[in-house]
Amino acid sequence: MPTFWLVALLLALSAAGYNGGRRRAIATAAGNVKDLHSLPSYYGYHVALAAFVPSIAALAVWLLAQPVFIETRVSGMIPAEAIPESSSIGLVMSDVRRVAEGLDLAVEQGLLTPREARNASAGAQDLRALMGEVGVALGSKVRPEALSAAQAYRNLSQNGRDAMTAVVALLAIGGFVFAYMRIHKDFRARNVVERAVLALLILAASLAILTTVGIVLSMLFETKNFFGLHSWTDFFFGSTWAPNFRGGSELSILPLLWGTLYISFIALLVAVPVGLFAAIYLSEYASGAVRAFAKPLLEILAGIPTIVYGLFALLTVGPALADLFGKGGLLGVEWMAGATSVLTAGLVMGIMLIPFVSSLSDDIINAVPQAMRDGSLGLGATKSETVRQVVMPAALPGIVGAVLLAASRAIGETMIVVMGAGAIAKFSANPLDSMTTITTRIVSQLTGDTDFASPETLVAFALGLTLFVLTLGLNVLALYIVRTYREQYE
Amino acid sequence: MNDMTLMDKTVDTQNIKIAARDVNVHYGDSHAIKDVNVEIEDKTVTAFIGPSGCGKSTFLRCLNRMNDTIGICRVKGDILLDGEDIYDRRVDPVQLRAKVGMVFQKPNPFPKSIYDNVAYGPRIHGLARNKAELDEIVEKSLRRAAIWDEVKDRLDAPGTGLSGGQQQRLCIARAVATEPEVLLMDEPCSALDPIATAQVEELIDELRSRYSVVIVTHSMQQAARVSQKTAFFHLGNLVEFGPTGQIFTNPEDSRTESYITGRIG
Ligand SMILES: Nc1ncnc2c1ncn2[C@@H]1O[C@H](COP(=O)(O)OP(=O)(O)OP(=O)(O)O)[C@@H](O)[C@H]1O
Ligand SMILES: [Mg+2]
């Protein structure tokens, strides 16, 4: 049975379970709903859940596991001689899958009877032409080994699917019956549903965490491979970034880290004062009308995709800076070679971060109790004295947290630096030099023809992991600071 | 004859520190204070009494323009401090609040050390020329607020870490440290034990020799003990205003009488 219909059947069964459960509950209480432990609908949900949840879980697991299982079984059937010189088991297997799929389609369209498909032999028919007819293009004639493997593949999947339908249906019906029989007027269906809700919430929460763990583990794994191929001392303590796909690369993170931190620093230099002052204005001085207008506007700024900021860096800010500091520029100095520079990327990234800093700070400043301001104003302090001496110190931990969050965004930012900062990895204190960052190097190491066995590619994972650790550290620190100092006003 | 009346008038206006004429306050659409006329004398303690929600705090906040910080609050009428309209455009509310200090209904110490809390006003207004003078002001203010003995060993501890009653006394110390001419106190003793209450009342009595004090209180005994004048508010109206003795022994309005004897509240 196709999966779609199977799911539809499960849903229908649950719906029936809901109705049946309700009815039975009311019946056990002899029609007196007040005698029931829970509301009738809870009994209904109880039966529906028992019919649906275990069976759908089994279905999901089966769907994930079956292809893996069949793949290993079938690839074991292919003899080593059947793999051509220039090919690999992976390529042969993909041929097998395509042939199996072609046979399925041919049966579906009536070109072959199921029997013919099962017994077809490579010599008897022109299978390649037949496959072409149903829209499966094959590179060469179907080899006998591939054909028999494909037939085995079809057999296994067919049997697997039948077994799956049986198991899922049994589970669903079993759950239905079990739950239905349990219904009694004192049965605590409400508590069962409560636990089911809890389980659902836990599942959602753990999915997010598990994904993170998965990402970290896969990065760790590749990073380990990288350190097997390249010395870690060069990675952490070397001084040059010079990847060379013919071997002998120098892959040190330090110049990249320098570029990353330098650009982030400039970005924060722009974003923190401007964002903070904007937040102070909005929360302390602006009238309701201005606030209602300016706050959404700032938030729109936060919604602009970073690639657009990148374009702004590339087309506007970079050339403008070059006009000022470049050769033949307005200042008559020749400090800037091209349009890309640390300053270009830093300025634009700073602009990107302004709404981020200001909206976080605005929330934090608003959380300072009005009584605090009243106390200060009541002593004859001016507004700015109040802001400086009472509101800011009170909001400071939160603001530090906001700045750290902004810093971690700056460090992880990619598009603006790709377009604004250039691609030269070097140590330089001149903000008008081109430099590059960790994120852009990850992109450039992984784009194009890549071979996931060379250190030049694998270094991307080591870079990514370092970046992850760095930003994670900043976020944890930010949260810690915000939490520790928050209680003060409660 | 003419000279005499003129003389009388000047004496009169000198005695009156704050005069409110036809004051009306609205919070948006709700009318919180209705046509209140009151004259608060210098070197006198004036008590505002009345049931909860009748507008005592609101009216008190008008006297140092703290209502300016509430967006929806509109104040109409004249309030004269030493004969000058405090709602005049030329008057700087910041300056005004330095002269008319306030202790709020809920204690609101700053998240700073106890010392910095008290030193806040004097620092802003430059009342001390050096650290020694500032220390002196801080100590004197804390003593006057009857909290010195409890905090003298931990002046560096945060003011927010004190108990509710201690915080309230800290706020009183903070307010007297700026040496205001008028001190507005909104239920300053609501969180205090009887001993601290007695000490604060003593402070109020002492302040009377130099300043004018306005105190909001829910305690009839306290009003009777500390004040010379009493104003009774009810539903936004000033029902009765007069010498405390007369209000408590021989009120003119029946509402005043029922409130004092505990029948409305
Ligand atoms: N910020 C505000 N916004 C809107 N309405 C307010 C505000 N403050 C007070 N009010 C209203 O004004 C009226 C008077 O309030 P006020 O705080 O002056 O009462 P009160 O006499 O001080 O009462 P209490 O003895 O409980 O402190 C009340 O009806 C209250 O709801
Ligand atoms: Mg009040």
Side-chain angles (χ1 to χ4, degrees), chain B residues 51-58 60-61 105 186-187 216 218:
Chain B
S52 189
C54 66
K56 305 179 296 293
S57 300
T58 302
L60 200 68
R61 290 166 62 95
Q105 187 163 357
D186 199 344
E187 297 183 38
V216 173
H218 279 292

Side-chain angles (χ1 to χ4, degrees), chain B residues 188-222:
Chain B
C189 300
S190 58
L192 302 189
D193 62 49
I195 298 170
T197 303
Q199 283 164 328
V200 170
E201 286 178 7
E202 214 170 282
L203 165 73
I204 293 171
D205 209 50
E206 176 208 320
L207 291 174
R208 180 164 70 97
S209 61
R210 282 182 289 165
Y211 317 125
S212 155
V213 178
V214 183
I215 175 172
V216 173
T217 177
H218 279 292
S219 155
M220 297 305 113
Q221 288 84 350
Q222 183 170 54

Side-chain angles (χ1 to χ4, degrees), chain A residues 65 86 92 100-101 137 162 185 237 285 293 300 310 317 322 340 349 432-433 436:
Chain A
S86 58
V92 174
E101 186 193 340
D162 289 346
K185 74 179 170 47
F237 303 114
Y285 290 87
F293 163 80
I300 288 175
V317 178
T340 54
M349 201 193 283
L432 297 168
D433 269 348
T436 191

